[in-house]
């Protein structure tokens, strides 16, 4: 009997929403081109699920998730940490433009302004990352924009911190990913009905 392998996605899972990229210990404005006057994290139902892939790996482990602060200077985690060894390629999750590629507080930081995401546009941030694409360059989803650096991570194990901003408001970067990327279910073999056996 012919069978087809189908991946069952968790389509009824609630959307992940909110985030940015900077540890709560980082001074305000110290990430991705000095974000000054940044506001506390907020829910944003207008974040389109434009992501086409994870920034690192296929479905990386998330050692620490989004923990929005109650105030600008309050404790929290303004991003998502993704387990990634030094040298791991970091990819653009969607089409956009490199709005920052450089060093901030001795860490490599990369920021991508995402195309077609409103005004002000959404901007993703990644650290610690050594940029391989210059600031101002156009990038496409899946394009390698840098590699994870060995030092500068705030994680206990190597990781890349992934964040998201709209203007000065931190949001959850996982909200960029569609449900099929966030919640892959197990593969199942199902019969193909109505197809004659060879």
């Amino acid at each position: 009997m012919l069978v087809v392998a189908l991946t069952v996605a968790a389509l009824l899972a609630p959307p992940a929403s909110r985030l940015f990229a900077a540890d709560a210990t980082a001074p305000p404005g110290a990430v991705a081109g000095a974000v000054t006057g940044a506001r506390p994290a907020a829910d944003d139902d207008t974040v389109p699920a434009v992501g086409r892939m994870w920034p690192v790996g296929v479905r990386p482990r998330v050692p620490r998730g989004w923990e929005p602060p109650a105030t600008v200077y309050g404790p929290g985690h303004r991003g998502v940490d993704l387990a990634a060894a030094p040298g791991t390629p970091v990819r653009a999750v969607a089409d956009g433009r490199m709005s920052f590629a450089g060093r901030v507080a001795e860490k490599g930081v990369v920021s991508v302004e995402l195309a077609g995401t409103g005004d002000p546009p959404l901007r993703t941030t990644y650290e610690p990352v050594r940029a391989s694409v210059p600031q101002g360059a156009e990038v496409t989803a899946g394009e390698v924009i840098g590699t994870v650096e060995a030092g500068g991570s705030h994680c206990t194990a190597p990781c890349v911190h992934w964040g998201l901003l709209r203007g000065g408001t931190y949001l959850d970067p996982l909200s960029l990913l569609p449900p099929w990327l966030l919640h892959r279910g197990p593969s199942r073999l199902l019969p193909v009905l109505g197809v004659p056996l060879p």
Side-chain angles (χ1 to χ4, degrees), residues 136-165:
E138 299 292 324
V139 295
T140 58
E143 184 175 341
V144 175
I145 57 175
T147 55
V148 178
E149 289 184 331
S153 173
H154 62 264
C155 303
T156 55
C159 79
V160 64
H161 185 86
W162 178 31
L164 178 66
L165 283 163

Side-chain angles (χ1 to χ4, degrees), residues 79-103:
V80 172
D81 293 335
L82 305 174
T88 299
V90 177
R91 299 178 184 276
V93 298
D95 295 348
R97 182 184 61 81
M98 295 284 284
S99 58
F100 184 81
R103 302 200 71 72

Side-chain angles (χ1 to χ4, degrees), residues 15-81:
S17 49
R18 313 169 253 306
L19 175 41
F20 161 156
D23 178 32
T25 60
V31 177
V35 179
T36 56
R39 296 180 295 281
D43 291 337
D44 187 346
D45 295 333
T46 66
V47 173
V50 296
R52 298 293 166 250
M53 66 210 45
W54 288 84
V56 292
V58 176
R59 187 166 192 328
R61 188 172 58 81
V62 180
R64 186 172 179 192
W66 167 244
E67 299 166 19
T71 65
V72 174
Y73 302 107
H77 190 238
R78 296 163 175 86
V80 172
D81 293 335

Side-chain angles (χ1 to χ4, degrees), residues 183-197:
H183 309 287
R184 284 201 173 149
S187 294
R188 294 175 49 197
L189 296 178
L190 299 173
V192 177
L193 302 176
V195 177
L197 293 172

Side-chain angles (χ1 to χ4, degrees), residues 3 9 14 16 21 27 37 40 48 52 78-79 88 96 98 102-103 112 115 119 129 131 148 157 165-166 176 180-181:
V3 293
R52 298 293 166 250
R78 296 163 175 86
T88 299
M98 295 284 284
R103 302 200 71 72
V112 178
D119 186 25
V129 173
V148 178
L165 283 163
R166 184 182 294 282
L176 290 171
W180 64 270
L181 270 175

